[in-house]
Amino acid sequence: MTDRLSVIFAALADPTRRAILARLAEGDATVSELAEPFTISLPAISRHLKVLEQAGLITRSRSAQWRSSSLQAEPLREATAWMERYRRFWDVNFARLDAHLHRIQQEEREP
């Protein structure tokens, strides 16, 4: 079985799915509303929604003939928390690089 974080990142790997999530960050939407900016079929959008739902990134509900999707933030928090420790690593290393470059520039200015 694949771990949850791998499923989340696999879902986020596709630009169409990321665009769908960005749209859902603005509010719930139907499949038709989500499909509007894309040149792909409604069944293709539905497949993307299924992947997002399996990753826990969205929930889908049905009201009469309309089926709307909603963004779920918790899996994004999990992915962000995992990436956060690497951000701190890069921040420290970039700060070191910045200090090193400043030293080099200072040495070049001094006679």
Side-chain angles (χ1 to χ4, degrees):
M1 182 169 155
T2 305
D3 68 287
R4 181 170 161 81
L5 202 51
S6 294
V7 173
I8 293 167
F9 280 119
L12 293 172
D14 185 274
T16 300
R17 291 193 285 267
R18 290 193 306 271
I20 289 170
L21 290 176
R23 167 53 186 86
L24 290 174
E26 299 171 5
D28 297 358
T30 64
V31 175
S32 296
E33 291 168 336
L34 293 170
E36 284 177 14
F38 303 104
T39 57
I40 58 178
S41 67
L42 285 177
I45 292 292
S46 291
R47 286 191 294 275
H48 282 297
L49 292 174
K50 184 176 181 180
V51 171
L52 292 169
E53 186 175 31
Q54 289 172 339
L57 292 162
I58 67 167
T59 57
R60 297 168 79 186
S61 61
R62 176 170 267 144
S63 174
Q65 73 269 22
W66 304 108
R67 186 168 187 148
S68 69
S69 298
S70 303
L71 180 66
Q72 297 300 304
E74 184 55 34
L76 292 173
R77 274 191 223 112
E78 289 176 44
T80 301
W82 184 84
M83 289 184 291
E84 179 63 22
R85 63 183 154 188
Y86 297 100
R87 185 191 63 80
R88 286 190 297 257
F89 168 81
W90 285 111
D91 285 350
V92 167
N93 283 297
F94 284 135
R96 286 182 190 155
L97 177 60
D98 189 48
H100 178 70
L101 293 174
H102 279 40
R103 278 192 305 274
I104 290 172
Q105 290 173 342
Q106 201 67 19
E107 290 171 1
E108 289 176 349
R109 286 187 211 131
E110 294 175 358

